[in-house]
Every structure is written in C-alpha cells, then in structure tokens.
Amino acid sequence: MIVDEFYGIARHALKNHPGSDSVRITAIVPSAMGPVVQWEAPILARERQRKALGVVGVVAGPVILEVLVRTLAARWRKGAPYCPQDWDVRLAGRYQRIFQRQAPSTGPGWSWLWEGGAQAIVAAGVPRNFRTTDAKDKFGSIRWYYEAEEDCQYVDDITDAVEHLSSFICEDCGSPGRIRKGGWLRCQCELHAKGRTGA
Ligand SMILES: [Zn+2]
C-alpha cells in the first residue's frame, strides 16, 4: 500500500539526511493526480547533503520527498498500480515539453517515477527550449540528461531526485527495492531479485 511504499522508499532514500527519522505521514488526500501523501518532518535537513559512498544523489530531502509524493500519486491513481506496455510512448505524449525528443528507456517499474519528475518540472515551470537528451538506466539507477536555454537549479534538483530515488524503487514493478549485484547492477524488490543480494 501507499503508506508502506512511502516509508519503505523514504527511509532508505533519506538515510544520509540528518533528521530523516522525523518524517511522518499526516494525511493522504485524494486529488486528480492520485492520492497525495502529506507529510511533516520537523527536523529534516533542508539543504543538499554531501555525497556519501555508494549514494548517487545529494539533493535536499524535501525535494526527494516531493518527487516521491508525485510518483506514488501517479502509481496509485487508479487503485492498484497498473502499467501499460507502451507506457513510455504514452508518457512522452502526456509530457511533450519534457520528453518530445527522447522518451524514457528503462523498465516499467520506474514509469511512475519518470512521471513524478516530469510533473514536478511542469509544476515549477519548464525552462525555455528544454529537452531531454537521454533518459536511461546505468549501473542500476536512472540517468536523466537534458539541455535548456537557461540554467535552472530547480530542474537539476528534480532530475537529481529522480536519479536518487531510482536506487530505491524496483525497476521491474515500482515497489521499494535496492540495487542488486550479479552480472549487472539492477534495482529490484525482493520478489524480482530472486535471491540476488544487495550491492
Ligand atoms: Zn519488483
């Protein structure tokens, strides 16, 4: 359920952020975008965190949580999570200003994460001549490259948050996961890892 997924993903994604154990869900509010998790985190650090060993992202905790909330809303919008086979084409169609040149090319478990990130950029304002140049999987997590006419810290923050969160979400199904070793690195839940251990 959405509550377990929020805590299951946030706990690991914010592991190196001071005050992250103060994160608490206060309500889940229905909206057109899906169920929105409202949270409070009285002592969670607001600034970017220093890069820790094995952690891709350093983006601030509240930005990570904002993208996670949008991701879970999209995932649970229709009740049980459902991902059509052509999700990448549909997503590129729904978010043309983000993905018109390059649709995401990853497993379906990250479809809602791409949507959460795209939605956050649209909500904050798409920079002039924004275009995604690559949106793929590398070493078990997302790499999102883009170009824009203007430098936008908030777009960097959002794409960093998407990349960071992908290390804690199963690329196959979207449940909480972690990066597994064995031949190639891939972020998976217990079910899809089939016994492969964490990297
Ligand atoms: Zn899975």
Side-chain angles (χ1 to χ4, degrees), residues 75 83 87 106-113 169-175:
R75 177 167 159 82
C83 182
W87 66 269
T106 62
W110 287 342
S111 59
W112 303 284
L113 180 54
I169 294 175
C170 176
E171 186 177 354
D172 294 334
C173 72
S175 295

Side-chain angles (χ1 to χ4, degrees), residues 1-182:
M1 283 297 297
I2 192 165
V3 169
D4 306 320
E5 291 190 356
F6 179 86
Y7 284 125
I9 295 165
R11 189 173 61 233
H12 295 289
L14 298 176
K15 195 173 49 190
N16 297 305
H17 293 249
S20 61
D21 49 358
S22 70
V23 175
R24 229 163 249 97
I25 294 177
T26 55
I28 296 176
V29 180
S31 81
M33 290 179 303
V36 173
V37 173
Q38 294 188 336
W39 52 271
E40 61 173 19
I43 57 170
L44 177 65
R46 306 260 129 194
E47 56 286 340
R48 288 175 82 89
Q49 295 303 303
R50 204 168 300 209
K51 197 164 199 150
L53 197 67
V55 176
V56 177
V58 291
V59 67
V63 182
I64 292 173
L65 290 179
E66 188 210 330
V67 174
L68 176 59
V69 165
R70 291 183 182 278
T71 299
L72 292 179
R75 177 167 159 82
W76 291 91
R77 184 162 44 216
K78 292 178 180 152
Y82 163 74
C83 182
Q85 268 200 328
D86 61 346
W87 66 269
D88 48 345
V89 179
R90 291 178 188 227
L91 188 69
R94 278 205 304 283
Y95 293 92
Q96 290 184 15
R97 294 185 65 200
I98 308 294
F99 296 122
Q100 77 275 44
R101 298 283 185 84
Q102 179 69 55
S105 164
T106 62
W110 287 342
S111 59
W112 303 284
L113 180 54
W114 287 116
E115 174 154 13
Q119 208 184 78
I121 295 174
V122 170
V126 183
R128 211 161 350 111
N129 287 334
F130 179 95
R131 64 189 187 102
T132 294
T133 54
D134 214 351
K136 62 182 181 187
D137 165 349
K138 193 173 184 187
F139 303 132
S141 58
I142 282 176
R143 295 293 183 278
W144 187 348
Y145 302 105
Y146 71 90
E147 293 172 357
E149 233 170 76
E150 2 170 22
D151 270 341
C152 276
Q153 184 60 50
Y154 65 84
V155 177
D156 279 346
D157 285 350
I158 292 164
T159 56
D160 284 356
V162 167
E163 293 183 349
H164 181 70
L165 280 164
S166 67
S167 297
F168 310 99
I169 294 175
C170 176
E171 186 177 354
D172 294 334
C173 72
S175 295
R178 61 197 163 97
I179 294 183
R180 318 276 174 167
K181 56 191 173 187

